[in-house]
Amino acid sequence: MDLLQEWNDMNGELADKSQLLSADITSVQKSSKSVYLNLLKNLNAKMIWIRVLSIPMLLGAFFTTGLLQYLLVGMFISYELGRMFMIRQIKKLPNYIDYSTVTKDMIAFQIKLINKALKIERIWAWFFGPFAGPLGYMAVLAFKYKTVDQIIMNNPNLLYILLGLALLVFPINYLGNMMNKYAFAKDVERLSANLKELEG
């Protein structure tokens, strides 16, 4: 009789623990879904913002000629290349997630893709960033003076100014990284924490 009672008590404890574990997993799944959708929304907003910055350059190129036109087209292409590589990663992320299936693998895959998309942006910023300021300044001068010879003749300190603008990439990229941390880091950390909780 005592053995039967102990057996029933043990089954009850296991059932309670199983229900608690199931409730925890459900809570993590709901939290992960919410965080993921927020990250996806912010990534898509970033893609729209890059397009908003690049389109005026292309439009400006249609209404100009010579050096300025080439500079504007070059800047447009550099922005769109960065955007294209990021979108390739973002398109692998589904618009809606049902976490009732392969939760751990799915969260791990999403974290990997999100980090990869943000890494592409950092690489783009360090590769194209040093050219952005100088190209923008040259575009203004090209609008004013039309030819490279006139630009050089009327701007004796041009090289120093271009170098100074190129060095501005360091504080600008630092600010960009801070903005990305504000927009994405907390959610990525929450997804990572949820993944560890499920693996735990």
Side-chain angles (χ1 to χ4, degrees):
M1 184 69 175
D2 289 338
L3 283 173
L4 182 61
Q5 185 62 41
E6 282 184 32
W7 178 259
N8 289 335
D9 289 345
M10 191 171 69
N11 280 341
E13 284 177 21
L14 287 172
D16 289 344
K17 284 181 181 176
S18 176
Q19 284 175 355
L20 283 171
L21 184 61
S22 177
D24 285 346
I25 289 173
T26 303
S27 172
V28 170
Q29 289 172 344
K30 285 180 181 175
S31 168
S32 298
K33 182 177 173 181
S34 170
V35 171
Y36 170 74
L37 292 175
N38 191 52
L39 275 167
L40 201 60
K41 181 187 77 175
N42 287 341
L43 282 168
N44 285 323
K46 183 179 275 290
M47 296 305 98
I48 292 168
W49 180 242
I50 293 171
R51 176 58 57 82
V52 165
L53 290 175
S54 69
I55 288 295
M57 297 174 199
L58 183 64
L59 291 174
F62 282 114
F63 298 103
T64 58
T65 56
L67 177 63
L68 179 57
Q69 187 176 48
Y70 294 120
L71 288 171
L72 290 172
V73 169
M75 290 166 74
F76 169 78
I77 289 170
S78 74
Y79 271 77
E80 287 299 314
L81 277 174
R83 185 176 183 274
M84 181 186 74
F85 286 122
M86 287 184 77
I87 281 179
R88 282 179 63 186
Q89 300 305 316
I90 293 168
K91 279 187 175 177
K92 295 175 186 176
L93 294 163
N95 289 327
Y96 184 80
I97 291 297
D98 179 9
Y99 278 116
S100 61
T101 54
V102 285
T103 308
K104 285 189 289 187
D105 291 342
M106 197 172 288
I107 293 175
F109 181 67
Q110 289 162 356
I111 291 170
K112 183 180 175 183
L113 287 178
I114 289 163
N115 282 329
K116 195 170 180 182
L118 294 173
K119 185 178 179 182
I120 288 168
E121 187 193 26
R122 283 195 301 274
I123 292 168
W124 178 89
W126 285 110
F127 187 78
F128 287 106
F131 302 102
L135 283 173
Y137 185 67
M138 287 295 290
V140 171
L141 294 179
F143 180 75
K144 184 177 181 182
Y145 296 110
K146 307 302 181 197
T147 67
V148 177
D149 291 341
Q150 286 182 343
I151 290 171
I152 293 170
M153 189 173 65
N154 289 289
N155 295 275
N157 297 320
L158 181 63
L159 188 60
Y160 299 111
I161 293 169
L162 294 179
L163 183 60
L165 290 170
L167 291 174
L168 272 176
V169 72
F170 293 102
I172 288 171
N173 280 353
Y174 175 77
L175 286 173
N177 286 336
M178 294 299 289
M179 288 170 67
N180 274 349
K181 280 183 181 178
Y182 178 77
F184 301 104
K186 283 183 183 176
D187 286 338
V188 170
E189 283 172 13
R190 280 175 66 193
L191 265 187
S192 300
N194 287 352
L195 179 60
K196 283 181 184 175
E197 196 172 332
L198 288 169
E199 288 174 340

